[in-house]
Amino acid sequence: MCGIVGYTGEKEASPVLLEGLKRLEYRGYDSAGLAVRNGAGLTEVVKATGKLSHLADKTDQGKALPGKCGIGHTRWATHGEPSQVNAHPHVSGNCSGSASGPVESEVVGVHNGIIENYAELKEKLLRHGYRFYSDTDTEVVVKLIDYYYHKYKIGPVDALTRMMVRVRGSYALAVMFRDYPGEIYAARKDSPLVIGVTEQDAYLASDVPALLKYTRQVYYMENLLAARVVPGQVTFYDLNGDEKELPLTEITWDAEAAEKGGYEHFMLKEIHEQPEAVRSTLASMIQDGRVHLAETGLTEDVLRDVSQLEIVACGSAWHVGMEAQYVLEDLAGIPVRVDLASEFRYRKMPMDERSMVIVISQSGETADSLAALREAKSRGIKTLAIVNVIGSTIAREADYTLYTLAGPEIAVATTKAYSAQLAALDVLAVELARIRGKISPEQAAEYLTELQGLPEKMARILEEKERIQWFSSKISNAHDIFFIGRGLDYAISLEGSLKMKEISYIHSEAYAAGELKHGTISLIENGTLVIGVLTQQELYEKTVSNMVECKARGAYLMGVTTHGNYNVEDSVNFTIYIPKTDPHFVGSLAVIPLQLLAYYTSVARGLDVDKPRNLAKSVTVE
Ligand code: AGP
């Protein structure tokens, strides 16, 4: 989704802004732009469609845009097609908006989010003489701020807070006012915004990697706050215009954690970081052979009292929920429902007041997951967030927060955050099982030891990646791929299929193996690739039979199974073996060959692995 950056201080702003936007490229974008205030007090805007390098070329790497205060934006189109005129920054003046150059406008702004009532506001502004050059909701907001600023003859903060009570939707906004040189004003609701301050400068951005080169001390801006950002200082204001203190957070992870570190793509690097991501997450939850959840706020009494779990999430995080459902129900004997966050909020199913809603999210900013969290809270249901990004909105708003320690994940296709989430839920399942008396403390300790053995087994699978690379080049021209499995293997198939389709653009579907014959098997024809996940021993033969049924109709078969099941080769054309572990936790291992398969297929097809078309890392719109 859109990325915003801002800088004011002693340095030239444009190179800092371009560098910051580069760090936010992973969020996905179709156009980009800068607005920089030059020494003569004029603001100059430059926009370009396509890659950030087009904007860099257009501004001679920023040199053609002098000035020490500016804002920048990468746009992921929501309202209006990707085009130069719709690209940000947007201005309050009645102009064509597409041309680059100095602008006469009072207010210039960039925005990440969606303004839901923009049409109604646009009508109002049209009646007051404003003219619009773009199709964007952002132009409406910028003009609304300008309207309040002039109508009430108030300062920038008051103009922003008036705008904030009038608009519905989500926004992280950075704006500059002609009358306030060297100052950037910001506002936030439901879209992330971090601000970093050093002695001489101040930076703002949608995400930490854009600031890390300059500072490790950041403020995570809270919802419904405005801010005045000047060199060396930031002041936050609530909707009444009263100053508000925010805690300063030290970023402890390294800038290199957000770099490729010698790997060709972030995704490959992050696939290889999975053993460490899982190890760190487990280490934060298990101490001296026992589960420690003190930092989450969860107590044994809270967990004992829970009558049922409702897991809500999107995409891969939803797949983690699907997988954890089997483990939680089997180990802890607790009823679990798993819902897509985008559906959960519109279902009015009855929920026991002793239920707990678990929201899983890497970014902690996914709009649908956030809305589901708020829906649960509004119904008085306890909420637990399992989140990777520290200080994110979901993490802050949940009653209890469990952080996964995967580190920054840049590739759009999640890998290490997925694995860390799964490990966290496995530990939670063991703890719930112990607290609820379903397993003894000794059995719990054994399960925890088994989990702690996973990182080393994951590393072993990664050592054998060449075979998968070879197979990927063989199947890279496939038109359709079906991933099938039963029980927990079905949940693993869901993730394998999503990974494949999102980065290789090959049509793929995950099916519960037993369901194939109820319709989908009609799609199997000569050469269709069917990938069977075969890790659950008691379901193994049934799924192999379903695969053989496909083979009889021309399918080419690949299997993922545990070492020992070597007779699978009698039926299947290509097999990947994974180390043995407790069947509850095998998903952490089986997913790795499927991630690698998707990765190498995408590379073989020459695609943009880390930034697949139409996708964004953090989906902050509904
Ligand atoms: C997975 O590879 C995706 N890119 C996507 O499905 C993602 O898992 C989903 O958008 C949820 O994101 P979140 O974990 O940040 O909430």
Side-chain angles (χ1 to χ4, degrees):
M1 300 273 121
C2 305
I4 71 174
V5 291
Y7 170 77
T8 178
E10 292 183 347
K11 295 191 254 288
E12 279 300 306
S14 301
V16 176
L17 299 173
L18 284 170
E19 170 75 20
L21 290 178
K22 192 148 186 49
R23 305 282 154 208
L24 299 181
E25 270 192 304
Y26 71 91
R27 298 170 68 85
Y29 67 101
D30 47 62
S31 52
L34 298 178
V36 175
R37 176 98 179 196
N38 67 27
L42 273 177
T43 299
E44 205 160 335
V45 173
V46 181
K47 311 182 202 184
T49 52
K51 292 279 170 202
L52 200 52
S53 56
H54 299 172
L55 181 67
D57 291 346
K58 220 169 164 178
T59 57
D60 190 15
Q61 314 307 313
K63 291 200 265 305
L65 209 50
K68 297 184 187 302
C69 177
I71 52 181
H73 189 263
T74 44
R75 175 171 187 255
W76 191 83
T78 54
H79 294 72
E81 54 163 12
S83 67
Q84 183 159 308
V85 79
N86 285 333
H88 302 207
H90 286 291
V91 301
S92 58
N94 290 337
C95 58
S96 78
S98 60
S100 296
V103 291
E104 287 304 324
S105 302
E106 181 60 58
V107 186
V108 183
V110 291
H111 164 224
N112 168 27
I114 285 195
I115 305 302
E116 290 165 4
N117 56 339
Y118 81 102
E120 158 209 334
L121 295 169
K122 192 168 180 175
E123 283 298 312
K124 168 192 166 86
L125 290 165
L126 282 167
R127 285 198 300 275
H128 285 89
Y130 285 89
R131 294 288 163 261
F132 289 83
Y133 54 81
S134 77
D135 303 320
T136 65
D137 50 347
T138 305
E139 190 190 350
V140 177
V141 173
V142 168
K143 286 183 163 141
L144 188 69
I145 296 169
D146 181 78
Y147 168 73
Y148 288 135
Y149 181 71
H150 286 110
K151 177 170 178 194
Y152 297 107
K153 308 219 174 326
I154 48 181
V157 170
D158 290 330
L160 279 180
T161 53
R162 276 187 185 264
M163 173 281 293
M164 291 161 79
V165 292
R166 187 68 179 81
V167 304
R168 286 199 310 276
S170 58
Y171 48 82
L173 265 169
V175 293
M176 297 188 295
F177 288 74
R178 185 175 47 201
D179 301 340
Y180 293 82
E183 304 190 5
I184 300 173
Y185 290 83
R188 175 192 190 237
K189 179 174 174 275
D190 295 344
S191 293
L193 193 57
V194 287
I195 298 181
V197 180
T198 67
E199 267 182 26
Q200 325 74 1
D201 320 87
Y203 305 81
L204 58 87
S206 297
D207 199 0
V208 171
L211 310 185
L212 264 192
K213 189 169 168 190
Y214 312 104
T215 180
R216 295 183 157 275
Q217 312 286 329
V218 304
Y219 296 96
Y220 286 95
M221 199 157 156
E222 287 179 5
N223 256 351
L224 292 174
L225 288 190
R228 172 177 176 263
V229 184
V230 297
Q233 201 189 341
V234 54
T235 316
F236 297 100
Y237 301 89
D238 63 18
L239 287 179
N240 298 318
D242 294 332
E243 285 189 25
K244 171 118 203 256
E245 293 279 322
L246 287 189
L248 195 58
T249 304
E250 163 129 23
I251 303 298
T252 49
W253 41 272
D254 267 344
E256 294 79 61
E259 306 281 350
K260 280 190 206 151
Y263 287 93
E264 201 183 334
H265 297 102
F266 279 113
M267 185 177 173
L268 188 60
K269 174 178 176 250
E270 289 161 6
I271 287 174
H272 280 83
E273 286 173 344
Q274 289 183 105
E276 197 44 45
V278 169
R279 193 176 287 119
S280 305
T281 303
L282 292 174
S284 72
M285 297 178 73
I286 306 170
Q287 285 156 29
D288 302 324
R290 300 199 51 172
V291 177
H292 282 257
L293 297 173
E295 282 166 26
T296 65
L298 284 170
T299 61
E300 288 203 12
D301 285 344
V302 170
L303 289 174
R304 193 175 295 112
D305 187 53
V306 172
S307 60
Q308 88 175 61
L309 294 173
E310 175 78 38
I311 301 180
V312 287
C314 302
S316 293
W318 178 71
H319 298 159
V320 170
M322 290 291 286
E323 215 168 314
Q325 177 182 28
Y326 293 97
V327 185
L328 284 158
E329 287 183 341
D330 196 45
L331 285 186
I334 189 165
V336 183
R337 250 183 340 205
V338 188
D339 250 314
L340 292 163
S342 52
E343 292 294 318
F344 170 80
R345 52 187 302 210
Y346 301 111
R347 281 177 60 191
K348 298 290 171 227
M349 71 268 196
M351 283 179 78
D352 176 351
E353 60 185 18
R354 286 171 49 230
S355 347
M356 177 180 274
V357 166
I358 302 182
V359 179
I360 310 172
S361 175
Q362 187 285 129
S363 62
E365 302 291 348
T366 301
D368 288 319
S369 305
L370 179 59
L373 174 85
R374 289 178 178 164
E375 168 69 22
K377 287 189 79 173
S378 73
R379 291 216 232 159
I381 308 290
K382 286 183 283 296
T383 54
L384 163 65
I386 298 184
V387 172
N388 195 43
V389 176
I390 295 169
S392 53
T393 311
I394 292 174
R396 284 203 313 266
E397 291 194 12
D399 299 317
Y400 308 100
T401 300
L402 197 170
Y403 281 115
T404 49
L405 300 184
E409 191 177 62
I410 306 295
V412 165
T414 182
T415 51
K416 62 175 179 169
Y418 168 94
S419 289
Q421 289 161 351
L422 194 55
L425 274 153
D426 285 342
V427 175
L428 197 64
V430 173
E431 182 64 347
L432 272 164
R434 184 193 66 79
I435 290 172
R436 296 162 72 87
K438 300 287 176 193
I439 56 173
S440 66
E442 292 72 30
Q443 283 171 307
E446 278 168 28
Y447 279 126
L448 296 179
T449 307
E450 190 67 31
L451 280 167
Q452 286 169 316
L454 287 176
E456 186 266 325
K457 293 175 184 169
M458 296 169 97
R460 266 195 267 152
I461 300 172
L462 289 167
E463 281 166 18
E464 292 176 18
K465 58 179 186 279
E466 276 74 21
R467 278 193 76 227
I468 301 173
Q469 185 172 12
W470 168 82
F471 188 67
S472 305
S473 62
K474 210 168 137 59
I475 59 125
S476 63
N477 289 324
H479 290 294
D480 304 286
I481 303 180
F482 292 89
F483 290 76
I484 64 170
R486 286 168 180 255
L488 210 134
D489 286 338
Y490 167 54
I492 301 167
S493 303
L494 287 167
E495 179 60 6
S497 171
L498 179 65
K499 283 284 93 65
M500 180 60 80
K501 74 181 107 187
E502 70 181 331
I503 60 168
S504 77
Y505 312 153
I506 295 174
H507 165 251
S508 84
E509 285 184 45
Y511 252 79
E515 267 300 292
L516 269 183
K517 57 186 173 294
H518 296 288
T520 308
I521 202 163
S522 66
L523 295 171
I524 304 294
E525 48 191 40
N526 257 348
T528 305
L529 178 61
V530 174
I531 299 176
V533 182
L534 305 157
T535 70
Q536 303 296 302
Q537 214 53 46
E538 78 278 14
L539 301 170
Y540 169 86
E541 280 182 5
K542 284 190 192 304
T543 305
V544 170
S545 299
N546 298 134
M547 292 173 77
V548 170
E549 284 157 20
C550 294
K551 195 177 189 180
R553 287 150 182 88
Y556 189 76
L557 302 183
M558 167 178 163
V560 176
T561 190
T562 43
H563 275 291
N565 284 335
Y566 303 119
N567 62 349
V568 74
E569 290 181 26
D570 298 340
S571 320
V572 167
N573 304 91
F574 177 75
T575 311
I576 291 291
Y577 295 100
I578 55 172
K580 281 196 175 141
T581 184
D582 183 279
H584 295 99
F585 311 139
V586 76
S588 298
L589 304 180
V591 77
I592 294 179
L594 302 182
Q595 295 167 342
L596 287 167
L597 187 72
Y599 171 77
Y600 285 119
T601 304
S602 176
V603 172
R605 289 164 71 90
L607 299 173
D608 193 348
V609 177
D610 287 334
K611 296 191 285 290
R613 69 185 179 202
N614 307 338
L615 293 177
K617 180 67 182 163
S618 171
V619 184
T620 50
V621 295
E622 288 170 32

